[in-house]
Amino acid sequence: MKIYNNGRITDDIIETSVKSPHFRSGNGFFETICYNGNEICHLKKHIDRLSTSLADFGMDKPDFDAEKGIMDVIIANNLKDKVCRVNIFAVESPYGTDMIITAEEYAGSPDVFKLNIHDKFQISTMNRYKSTSWMHHQNARKRALDGGYDDALLVDEHNRVFETATASIVFKKEGRFITTTSENRLAGISLELLKELRPVEEKEITLRDFMGMQNCYVLNSMIGIKPVESISVFNFEVDSESVEYIADIILQR
């Protein structure tokens, strides 16, 4: 795989210094962006979120052309006509902030999701940021996949719902979209796009509230929006058709 590394395309292995803050503590942030085979989806929103994260933690944001860097990586890997998962990493090094871009062909996702409730808790304001300290989310997802599910639902010890390990979560009740409160969950860009299209109520949701929800969906930059048929023992009506337009907007199809 060829990567963008601080302004140049290279296939060299990235040198990771044990003295670098990102190696010791995960000091850095990343964005996952969809390239739909024709254009980079919602790049400005992703760069704005990345810039906000860097500013909030006092990290410098190098002046770089994200669009050119992404396209250079895509072309270098012969992916120009493919749907790709693009990642931009901004990690703190002894010399400032390193900017790294990768791109790989996207294998797709299930049409309908099954979620497993993760029983280990991480309650932290860091969950509001897409940081490179993402181990809790990755472990939750791995455990869910190992159990035959498609993703993990993250909750706290009081059964309050946050998000999944990889996506925002939205419910529908009596035709209204409802999502969880923004505390301790990522400000999802796909969720932001949904809010621009439809009214979305934010409220505290617990597992007990699932009994009154007709539909459930997961949203992120790669899947768009997909219906959820079950969360552990809770079942929902599968609704794909009414959200197809929303998926087209998220994925710029």
Side-chain angles (χ1 to χ4, degrees):
M1 175 191 292
K2 295 185 182 296
I3 66 168
Y4 171 102
N5 187 3
N6 291 327
R8 63 191 180 94
I9 300 295
T10 177
D11 55 6
D12 294 336
I13 296 174
I14 304 169
E15 291 187 5
T16 303
S17 169
V18 293
K19 296 182 179 180
S20 294
H22 76 270
F23 183 88
R24 298 195 309 272
S25 311
N27 288 25
F29 303 92
F30 71 100
E31 291 291 324
T32 301
I33 305 169
C34 178
Y35 173 75
N36 64 13
N38 185 50
E39 58 185 316
I40 306 162
C41 298
H42 309 292
L43 178 59
K44 183 179 185 303
K45 289 182 180 292
H46 285 280
I47 295 300
D48 286 348
R49 183 171 67 178
L50 180 63
S51 299
T52 297
S53 298
L54 291 171
D56 285 355
F57 286 82
M59 291 175 59
D60 294 330
K61 176 180 173 290
D63 184 16
F64 83 116
D65 188 333
E67 183 174 5
K68 182 179 184 304
I70 289 170
M71 290 310 304
D72 285 349
V73 169
I74 287 171
I75 291 168
N77 287 285
N78 298 313
L79 296 171
K80 196 168 189 299
D81 299 319
K82 306 288 187 181
V83 176
C84 299
R85 181 196 303 274
V86 174
N87 283 118
I88 299 180
F89 301 91
V91 295
E92 191 174 3
S93 78
Y95 313 104
T97 302
D98 289 341
M99 303 300 298
I100 298 160
I101 303 173
T102 64
E104 57 185 334
E105 187 173 356
Y106 180 54
S109 67
D111 292 330
V112 180
F113 274 66
K114 295 187 297 183
L115 307 181
N116 182 47
I117 300 168
H118 193 56
D119 62 358
K120 297 184 183 299
F121 313 123
Q122 175 177 280
I123 314 305
S124 171
T125 56
M126 280 301 296
N127 293 344
R128 301 174 191 172
Y129 299 91
K130 204 169 179 69
S131 78
T132 50
S133 302
W134 212 240
M135 188 172 181
H136 174 70
H137 291 65
Q138 289 301 312
N139 283 347
R141 180 174 184 270
K142 181 180 184 300
R143 182 172 171 185
L145 294 177
D146 288 346
Y149 296 88
D150 303 301
D151 202 352
L153 182 71
L154 304 182
V155 301
D156 68 8
E157 67 270 29
H158 303 294
N159 290 326
R160 290 178 294 199
V161 175
F162 296 144
E163 58 194 341
T164 81
T166 65
S168 301
I169 190 163
V170 172
F171 299 88
K172 191 188 280 185
K173 180 178 182 179
E174 298 174 351
R176 297 179 294 111
F177 284 112
I178 304 168
T179 192
T180 59
T181 57
S182 57
E183 184 178 6
N184 297 328
R185 68 154 170 81
L186 185 68
I189 287 172
S190 297
L191 180 57
E192 177 186 334
L193 290 165
L194 173 60
K195 289 179 177 180
E196 293 174 3
L197 297 168
R198 301 283 191 273
V200 180
E201 178 185 358
E202 278 196 12
K203 61 179 289 187
E204 182 177 288
I205 299 172
T206 67
L207 300 184
R208 182 180 299 175
D209 297 317
F210 289 179
M211 299 300 294
M213 305 294 188
Q214 280 85 45
N215 310 110
C216 179
Y217 313 88
V218 285
L219 311 86
N220 69 29
S221 296
M222 295 306 305
I223 67 174
I225 181 169
K226 293 288 183 74
V228 174
E229 65 178 351
S230 64
I231 302 177
S232 294
V233 299
F234 301 95
N235 296 311
F236 303 90
E237 297 176 17
V238 173
D239 167 37
S240 302
E241 292 183 3
S242 72
V243 293
E244 188 172 342
Y245 171 71
I246 297 166
D248 289 342
I249 296 297
I250 295 172
L251 301 174
Q252 292 188 204
R253 295 191 294 217

